[in-house]
Amino acid sequence: QQRTILNPSPWRTPDVLFERILGLTDILIVNQTEWAQLCTYFDISDDPHHAMLADKLWQKWQGKALIVTRGAEGAQVFRPHRPPLSVAGFEVVVKDTVGAGDAFIAALCAAGLGEMDLDSAENWQQIWTCVHAAGAYLVAHRGVFEVLPTRTELTKFLENIYKKTIC
């Protein structure tokens, strides 16, 4: 099954092309800043209860999942008519934040997002920790492309934290 993932970063003032692309988007991934701008675009007021906002979003967008990344605070995934899922952030010494969102999205795609059942909380939980760890791994290093973690590097990173194999 093919899915379209959109990360509208850096955010630009939406236009007709954005609306057409968003209409074809299954999974929308935004950071906190982009989420606030998306709320403005959809005329939804931002508040700390993002689940209510996501419910309002489904009335205006027919997507299958909204993912909001929050840096060290973790990330959340919202799905229509389902409770939100969250993952806590990792405590790492931050050396460079450039590319953290890209690492997160790349890991999400590599984890099989296109094929998984988006309604299944169990499927999300299986990949969630590994995906979020990819962003944490990247910010703990300097650079972007040269430090995107391989599956082996990600496994070692998580084993050092959890003392067991996760990915």
Side-chain angles (χ1 to χ4, degrees):
Q1 175 177 347
Q2 287 186 317
R3 294 217 169 93
T4 304
I5 299 171
L6 175 63
N7 173 235
S9 179
W11 184 265
R12 294 170 199 78
T13 303
D15 56 14
V16 174
L17 180 59
F18 174 80
E19 290 179 11
R20 289 180 63 201
I21 292 171
L22 187 63
L24 299 170
T25 300
D26 298 306
I27 300 160
L28 182 61
I29 303 173
V30 295
N31 62 29
Q32 292 179 85
T33 302
E34 295 155 352
W35 171 244
Q37 293 163 325
L38 191 66
C39 288
T40 300
Y41 172 71
F42 279 117
D43 196 26
I44 308 170
S45 62
D46 196 0
D47 70 37
H49 304 289
H50 297 292
M52 291 187 299
L53 294 173
D55 284 342
K56 292 178 185 177
L57 178 62
W58 304 130
Q59 297 170 12
K60 299 174 183 250
W61 171 58
Q62 301 303 309
K64 296 182 178 23
L66 165 68
I67 298 171
V68 181
T69 62
R70 303 184 188 294
E73 295 174 27
Q76 288 180 289
V77 62
F78 300 95
R79 302 156 299 148
H81 316 295
R82 302 272 192 275
L85 301 171
S86 299
V87 64
F90 289 92
E91 288 189 34
V92 296
V93 175
V94 176
K95 294 184 179 174
D96 187 357
T97 61
V98 174
D102 299 315
F104 180 96
I105 294 167
L108 200 56
C109 293
L113 185 64
E115 294 82 34
M116 76 180 242
D117 175 7
L118 297 177
D119 289 332
S120 168
E122 185 177 307
N123 286 349
W124 281 103
Q125 294 300 341
Q126 286 176 354
I127 66 167
W128 209 225
T129 300
C130 298
V131 166
H132 194 66
Y137 180 94
L138 189 102
V139 301
H141 297 82
R142 292 203 188 286
V144 179
F145 294 113
E146 64 278 8
V147 295
L148 280 170
T150 63
R151 185 175 300 273
T152 301
E153 290 167 328
L154 205 52
T155 298
K156 287 179 184 176
F157 175 75
L158 288 167
E159 284 175 350
N160 287 334
I161 295 168
Y162 293 106
K163 308 302 181 215
K164 63 180 182 179
T165 302
I166 303 288
C167 297

